[in-house]
Amino acid sequence: MAFDEWLAVERVRQPERVVVAVCAGLPDMIGRAAPMHIQEILRSLDRLDPWNEAIARLGFSADHAAGDIASLHRRYRRLCDGLTKEFGVDPSTETQTMFERLSTTGTPAPVGPVVAAPSASAVLPTVLVSPIETITDDRVSHDIAGVLTDDIRTALAPYREIRVVALAADVASVKDTVADALAAYVLTGKIRLIGAQIRLNLQLGNIATGIIVWSDQLSVEQTDLSSAIDDVVAKAVGSILPAIESDITSMPELAAYAGADDIILFAKARRLMSFDRTLPEIQAAAAMLEEIVERNPRHVHATIWLARMYNTDFWQKIAGHDVAAFRARALDLARRATAYEPSDGRLLLRLSWCYLRSRNWPRADRGFRKAITQMLNHADSMNECAAGLCILGELEDAERYMQRAFALNPAAPAHYHADHAVLLMLKGDAQAAEEHFEVCGERGLMYLAARLANAAYLPAFEQAEREVLLVEFTTLFHDAWQTERELTLSGALDWARDTLPFKLAEHAERLRNGLEAMLSATWPANLRTTR
């Protein structure tokens, strides 16, 4: 009896001792040992004590040292979800502060020039960029404030989904300036000098509601001003655009907007396709966009989203149909709009995805790389370009641009993690891929298929979780099947090949073999049916 009691106590104490000992020695290894070895140690610690914030903070340091901002975000999201689910609490202030500091300082250096484009339409969301103020009265702060103000305006100006207005210091009369805008925002900032560091506080506020939709504190080191300013501008622009997108799509009273009909219709369509909507709702959004394009073939924004929906089968909501008509319509829309606006980077990106899904590899590759030079500070576009390069087999370049997207957008959406998981799967790192799939919460058919395929290469993947994934995928796929043809396993595999058209044979085989291995045992029982 005494031995049993001692053993029970020791079984608890020994893992705790291991965690304490490894946590004490691991900081000295970070930055010196191979990243993959550090990650293996961290995974072992996670298995021993999954919601230990000290372990998570060590992981933050390791991810940051390796330049892996995507994993830094993934680790923090997993910790937040776990602590909320298990204990109903948020991470400690220390953990939150460390994440914010490392994710902010992880912005990669610019990878190419930003190409200017014509200004945006007058009825679009408007951003008034106020001159950045200085708290301390010194020449350095004043000079940097002026440079940052000009650079942020210049970097925002090429993006056609917003209108940028240079605002004088007095912001009292801005309402007249933005009377015709769908939504209006003012970007303000203050600089203060702290030793050799210049601290910059930025805020983006909705003028109508007074709500701050984005804010951040960024640092500029005087020792390397040029590079630091570039990083601050990239981070600001990369955060502002997603914040505006999120704010507009949650507007409660779109019908009350007094602008042109196209603007109301476009905003309603964007709201319908911004969430996990049903197929009829997404089709309704497409019909609204078609109505806009019919009236105004030069409506770039409607064209971009319509082509994207058609090229992705209404966000993967339908399967089993003849894709040719949708693909052709998407390509035609993108080509026509590009003829009107040849310098628009997002149109070039959309056209590149059309070429990709039609397996025109050279044109897709050229298009993605040109779009990257035009959209360097647009996080969502950067991630989309990276995902395209991933399908083309250019994994190193894809990794670099995905990391940049994470660094630019501190509130990285679920599909960033899902796209990065696909890249890791193709690299053969099934465990790391599953870790990103696990935290992303993305439930699109394309990503569920990739996650199932990846799970086939994880012998230790839990059976219960495997069953949940199988049921979720097969149920959604059954609901998406649009023809009277028998829903066979080969049909599902062909769908996956067309949806994720990997250029390299080994990548296509990894997807197909993994998906077939996971589905073959249960497919006949679950889905051998006709509709």
Side-chain angles (χ1 to χ4, degrees), residues 58-71:
L58 283 172
F60 296 167
S61 297
D63 295 335
H64 185 265
D68 191 350
I69 308 303
S71 286

Side-chain angles (χ1 to χ4, degrees), residues 26 30 51 59 63 72 76 116 134 157 170 179 190 203 242 275 285 289 319 330 350 352 381 392 429 488:
L26 194 58
I30 293 174
W51 313 126
D63 295 335
L72 177 63
Y76 183 70
T134 56
D170 178 16
K190 291 185 178 180
Q203 289 186 341
F275 306 98
L289 297 178
R350 198 78 277 124
S352 301
S381 295
L392 289 169
D429 195 344
T488 63

Side-chain angles (χ1 to χ4, degrees), residues 216-376:
D216 205 351
Q217 185 178 87
L218 307 169
S219 298
V220 175
E221 296 290 343
Q222 293 191 54
T223 54
D224 189 10
L225 278 178
S226 178
S227 176
I229 288 174
D230 287 343
D231 285 350
V232 168
V233 171
K235 184 67 177 289
V237 175
S239 301
I240 287 168
L241 297 172
I244 291 174
E245 171 82 2
S246 175
D247 189 56
I248 289 174
T249 54
S250 63
M251 288 170 59
E253 301 295 339
L254 291 173
Y257 177 66
D261 288 347
D262 281 358
I263 301 303
I264 299 172
L265 206 57
F266 179 72
K268 287 180 176 179
R270 284 292 296 114
R271 189 172 185 183
L272 272 179
M273 61 177 127
S274 294
F275 306 98
D276 187 18
R277 300 293 193 171
T278 64
L279 177 59
E281 288 173 314
I282 295 172
Q283 288 174 317
M288 293 178 187
L289 297 178
E290 283 281 16
E291 184 179 338
I292 295 171
V293 171
E294 183 178 357
R295 284 200 297 263
N296 179 13
R298 292 176 178 264
H299 198 294
V300 172
H301 312 289
T303 299
I304 286 171
W305 287 103
L306 193 57
R308 187 172 183 181
M309 280 199 289
Y310 287 156
N311 200 39
T312 58
D313 306 318
F314 298 97
W315 303 151
Q316 316 301 326
K317 293 288 185 182
I318 59 175
H321 61 291
D322 182 2
V323 301
F326 283 130
R327 298 288 191 267
R329 177 61 174 153
L331 180 60
D332 182 61
L333 284 164
R335 279 176 169 167
R336 287 174 182 270
T338 303
Y340 295 135
E341 302 286 354
S343 61
D344 192 302
R346 291 169 312 131
L347 280 174
L348 182 58
L349 171 57
R350 198 78 277 124
L351 189 59
S352 301
W353 270 97
C354 290
Y355 289 137
L356 181 67
R357 286 223 157 88
S358 63
R359 298 177 182 269
N360 188 335
W361 313 125
R363 297 193 74 167
D365 187 274
R366 288 196 300 271
F368 286 131
R369 294 185 184 281
K370 186 175 180 180
I372 284 170
T373 66
Q374 296 177 267
M375 309 295 289
L376 277 175

Side-chain angles (χ1 to χ4, degrees), residues 106-121:
T107 306
V111 291
V114 177
V115 179
S119 59
S121 168

